[in-house]
Amino acid sequence: MADKVLMKGNEAIAEAALTAGCRHFFGYPITPQTEISAYMAKKMPKIGGTFLQAESEIAAINMVYGASAAGVRTMTSSSSPGISLKSEGLSYLAGADLPAVIVNIQRGGPGLGGIRPSQSDYFQATRAAGHGDFHMIVLAPTTVQEMFDLTIEAFDLADRFRMTAMILGDGMLGQVMEPVDISKGKEQEVIEKDWALTGTKNKRKHNLANSLYLEAEELESLNIKRFERYKQVEELARAEHYLTEDADVIVVAYGICARIAKNAIDEAREEGIKVGLIRPITLWPFPKKDLLKASETAKAFVVVEMSMGQMIQDVELSIRCSKPVLLCNRTGGMVPEPEEVIGAIRNANQEGRS
Amino acid sequence: MEIVFDRPKALTDIANHYCPGCTHGIIHRLVAEVMDELDITGSTVGVAPVGCSVFAYNYFECDMAQAAHGRAPAVATGLKRAIPENMVFTYQGDGDLAAIGTAEIVHAAARGENITVIFVNNAIYGMTGGQMAPTTLPGQVTQTSPYGRDTVTAGHPIKVCELLSTLEGTAYAERVSLDSVKNIRNAKKAIKKAFEYQQAKKGFSIVELLSTCSTNWGLEPVEAMKWLQDNMLPFYPLGVYKDKEAEV
């Protein structure tokens, strides 16, 4: 029998991290993700793990850097303003090719913003997590079950590609309670980390975690090499398709917006509009191929997101601006209503016909 | 023939990049000698700073991590918590530790993080070309205090050992100097003690080393030593500021 438990999204992420073998968590309190820290504080001491509440987000991400450099699975979680503070560390992790899982349960911004759900850190997550040329793997769950599953996957991907993987959720997903099958915790990939700072034991040359290269040629070649590795990651881009086969209108949405969009799509279908959903599961790499293929038959697109329009740029780029793309958005912590999405679908359907 | 003086095994056989008259070379050697004597090179991970000594990772035979400016104590915390049986030390300058990394050092000490901090205080920013540091003396001329540090506008220097010794988690804090053979010997003793405290899991240990920066002070190496003796020693008194062992 499936081992289903009722959990908050935030708790599912924490439980998944433990399932994935993460025994080192470093965090700093911020709403609406504190349940992750609380869960870790409760569980870690009982299984011989480390829960440490750092003095700041900056310290927390650098503790992650140290633990990752030592070769262990490690995680930190935060929400939007806290992720901004972590951006220095994210860049250094990338520069030193260190794996780690970062959770961002987004809230409205900019600045201190609010504490209600948002998706306005999309650019930050997929474009500019910190200074320099680098990417993070960005996974976008839409259910509590997926928060569990994708967190486990994030640890595997981070280790496999020696890069940071972010779980990009939002305040609503973090707080919602749903049954989760936690027995699905699959066997973890164990990757030999011969680069880790475990102490030489006087048996090997010393290892180094570093991102400083004063020779421009050397740094350029390292960056190019890193982006060659990213090409392999890009092969992993994926999305969920819902009623897209005959769709004239394609709605593109991730996270909580995708759930709202599904309801809207069901209602619009009853009105006779052929509409479907492409839900990116990986935001970086973005499922460009799925969208490009859909653009061959679809007449118009609707992007639903809780920002002033960020993912819409990836959609437009993916379909090479070949079809109209309408934005249906709320911001500042507001969540779109299904009626707003239906309205946008109707408009897109009209525009697609003309 | 008996060899009486040799390169410590914990130091790589690479010529260092430091300026003539700089004391980083001496400090590297002292840390390496201690690593040899305690036979811990294979189980030690060092954390290099941002600043002149950023390349410390090239000079030690142990595993090394390079940290963002000021973040070495946090990186060291992660390294130590991941593998507690390893010895972990940070090597930090005064800009790194007493300015941008003040929060990290204070909280690592407050937690009693079982790491050893090698703190190099030369009263100036070195790598960026001689700007005012938190440790710059009142009246001291630097690139960004061209009329001498005015404590009214630029505030007062931070005395790190005094500050950290007030924290419960600090097991050992000593200030030493590198201006004479006698003081260099004391410096080595302090460094060794700091590592031994970590071995014995006593908590946070820090050795502050008063050092020179001939280049940015604009003084010949010998004059720089004299300047340290005349100006830094009176302002930053040497001695043990915290020793939990001695308190018992």
Side-chain angles (χ1 to χ4, degrees):
Chain A
M1 203 180 80
D3 190 6
K4 283 205 171 184
V5 281
L6 190 65
M7 286 185 136
K8 274 193 176 186
N10 285 334
E11 292 167 343
I13 286 175
E15 180 61 30
L18 301 179
T19 305
C22 172
R23 294 292 178 272
H24 295 85
F25 177 87
F26 306 94
Y28 185 82
I30 182 169
T31 307
Q33 61 78 51
T34 31
E35 290 86 358
I36 299 176
S37 282
Y39 199 90
M40 291 298 194
K42 203 170 172 182
K43 297 271 178 164
M44 280 298 196
K46 293 186 175 169
I47 54 172
T50 296
F51 163 80
L52 186 52
Q53 184 168 313
E55 62 270 26
S56 68
E57 285 90 346
I58 298 169
I61 191 75
N62 282 283
M63 289 169 186
V64 164
Y65 179 101
S68 173
V72 302
R73 285 193 160 182
T74 179
M75 182 171 101
T76 185
S77 68
S78 193
S79 181
S80 309
I83 296 292
S84 291
L85 286 169
K86 289 185 197 291
S87 65
E88 174 192 76
L90 292 173
S91 177
Y92 277 74
L93 282 159
D97 293 318
L98 293 174
V101 173
I102 319 295
V103 179
N104 182 2
I105 302 298
Q106 299 169 86
R107 56 191 259 182
L112 198 51
I115 57 167
R116 294 193 38 86
S118 171
Q119 294 179 326
S120 52
D121 303 344
Y122 182 90
F123 281 158
Q124 185 189 41
T126 62
R127 300 283 199 285
H131 65 278
D133 279 319
F134 78 98
H135 279 294
M136 291 191 295
I137 294 165
V138 184
L139 304 175
T142 193
T143 60
V144 177
Q145 181 70 54
E146 257 193 355
M147 288 174 110
F148 183 83
D149 297 341
L150 291 180
T151 300
I152 292 176
E153 190 177 343
F155 278 98
D156 287 344
L157 291 172
D159 276 358
R160 188 167 144 205
F161 294 103
R162 285 184 65 176
M163 59 193 292
T164 48
M166 175 175 273
I167 301 294
L168 191 66
D170 64 69
M172 187 171 280
L173 279 173
Q175 296 301 321
V176 76
M177 288 187 92
E178 286 174 342
V180 188
D181 180 358
I182 59 167
S183 66
K184 292 208 307 187
K186 52 186 177 181
E187 284 283 305
Q188 296 311 303
E189 260 181 274
V190 179
I191 290 171
E192 188 66 30
K193 295 176 176 174
D194 56 3
W195 46 263
L197 312 182
T198 52
T200 65
K201 312 282 185 288
N202 303 319
K203 282 179 183 157
R204 57 161 169 78
K205 208 178 166 302
H206 74 263
N207 282 340
L208 172 65
N210 179 39
S211 61
L212 177 69
Y213 300 93
L214 292 182
E215 295 297 333
E217 280 185 4
E218 191 185 4
L219 182 53
E220 183 187 47
S221 74
L222 277 168
N223 283 346
I224 290 170
K225 216 172 139 190
R226 189 170 295 121
F227 272 70
E228 278 165 7
R229 198 166 76 236
Y230 290 164
K231 277 185 196 160
Q232 297 169 36
V233 185
E234 289 195 72
E235 296 299 314
L236 304 174
R238 72 175 194 267
E240 178 197 351
H241 289 245
Y242 179 67
L243 306 176
T244 51
E245 279 191 6
D246 64 339
D248 293 328
V249 176
I250 298 281
V251 177
V252 189
Y254 71 98
I256 198 74
C257 284
R259 292 170 72 154
I260 296 160
K262 266 190 187 173
N263 289 337
I265 286 165
D266 289 343
E267 287 193 36
R269 280 262 169 190
E270 282 174 20
E271 288 179 20
I273 302 174
K274 289 181 180 174
V275 54
L277 172 76
I278 294 182
R279 172 177 75 88
I281 296 169
T282 57
L283 296 177
W284 195 92
F286 194 73
K288 294 180 212 164
K289 286 178 189 165
D290 294 50
L291 285 153
L292 186 61
K293 186 150 191 307
S295 70
E296 289 167 10
T297 48
K299 296 183 177 73
F301 289 76
V302 174
V303 175
V304 184
E305 55 181 326
M306 296 190 294
S307 77
M308 286 306 289
Q310 298 188 13
M311 185 176 69
I312 191 171
Q313 293 192 2
D314 273 333
V315 174
E316 287 170 335
L317 282 169
S318 298
I319 66 163
R320 296 165 191 167
C321 299
S322 59
K323 298 286 160 69
V325 184
L326 276 67
L327 178 65
C328 174
N329 67 317
R330 297 301 299 268
T331 181
M334 296 302 292
V335 179
E337 298 286 339
E339 291 70 35
E340 297 172 60
V341 183
I342 294 166
I345 290 169
R346 286 189 197 116
N347 290 342
N349 195 40
Q350 284 290 326
E351 200 159 324
R353 283 169 188 224
S354 56
Chain B
M1 206 164 65
E2 192 193 351
I3 295 170
V4 294
F5 191 79
D6 202 1
R7 176 185 287 274
K9 286 193 178 64
L11 271 192
T12 56
D13 191 5
I14 296 172
N16 75 40
H17 70 288
Y18 299 113
C19 302
C22 171
T23 44
H24 274 309
I26 301 172
I27 304 165
H28 283 19
R29 185 181 170 94
L30 297 181
V31 172
E33 283 180 359
V34 167
M35 279 162 63
D36 280 2
E37 286 169 24
L38 297 176
D39 193 20
I40 55 169
T41 310
S43 60
T44 295
V45 184
V47 186
V50 168
C52 290
S53 45
V54 66
F55 291 119
Y57 53 71
N58 286 330
Y59 306 137
F60 292 107
E61 290 285 6
C62 61
D63 281 351
M64 295 287 292
Q66 197 282 312
H69 204 197
R71 317 297 177 220
V75 172
T77 298
L79 285 161
K80 187 74 181 182
R81 297 291 181 119
I83 309 179
E85 57 269 30
N86 274 349
M87 298 286 281
V88 176
F89 75 93
T90 71
Y91 191 105
Q92 301 181 260
D94 40 26
D96 192 78
L97 181 143
I100 194 166
T102 318
E104 283 80 0
I105 199 69
V106 166
H107 287 274
R111 285 194 302 270
E113 207 64 53
N114 196 31
I115 59 171
T116 297
V117 174
I118 306 297
F119 171 46
V120 183
N121 178 1
N122 61 8
I124 205 161
Y125 279 79
M127 185 183 254
T128 43
Q131 295 81 21
M132 186 181 73
T135 48
T136 292
L137 299 176
Q140 188 182 336
V141 172
T142 71
Q143 201 184 63
T144 50
S145 56
Y147 310 110
R149 180 178 189 154
D150 176 1
T151 54
V152 175
T153 56
H156 298 268
I158 292 176
K159 294 181 175 177
V160 169
C161 275
E162 287 86 331
L163 177 74
L164 296 183
S165 64
T166 63
L167 299 170
E168 203 58 43
T170 302
Y172 173 60
E174 181 166 357
R175 183 181 292 124
V176 296
S177 172
L178 300 161
D179 64 295
S180 67
V181 174
K182 179 171 163 265
N183 280 340
I184 289 172
R185 286 188 172 175
N186 278 341
K188 169 144 175 221
K189 273 186 209 158
I191 291 170
K192 192 166 184 178
K193 197 166 168 181
F195 275 94
E196 283 169 343
Y197 271 45
Q198 186 184 161
Q199 262 185 329
K201 298 186 170 61
K202 286 186 177 142
F204 181 88
S205 56
I206 180 168
V207 180
E208 175 177 344
L209 303 107
L210 299 185
S211 306
T212 55
C213 183
S214 292
T215 300
N216 288 306
W217 291 355
L219 298 170
E220 296 289 332
V222 175
E223 290 173 348
M225 280 299 176
K226 182 89 178 34
W227 192 89
L228 185 160
Q229 287 164 342
D230 293 347
N231 298 281
M232 288 182 78
L233 288 178
F235 194 84
Y236 293 114
L238 304 186
V240 177
Y241 285 85
K242 182 81 177 278
D243 187 349
K244 270 200 170 169
E245 188 79 341
E247 285 168 15
V248 179

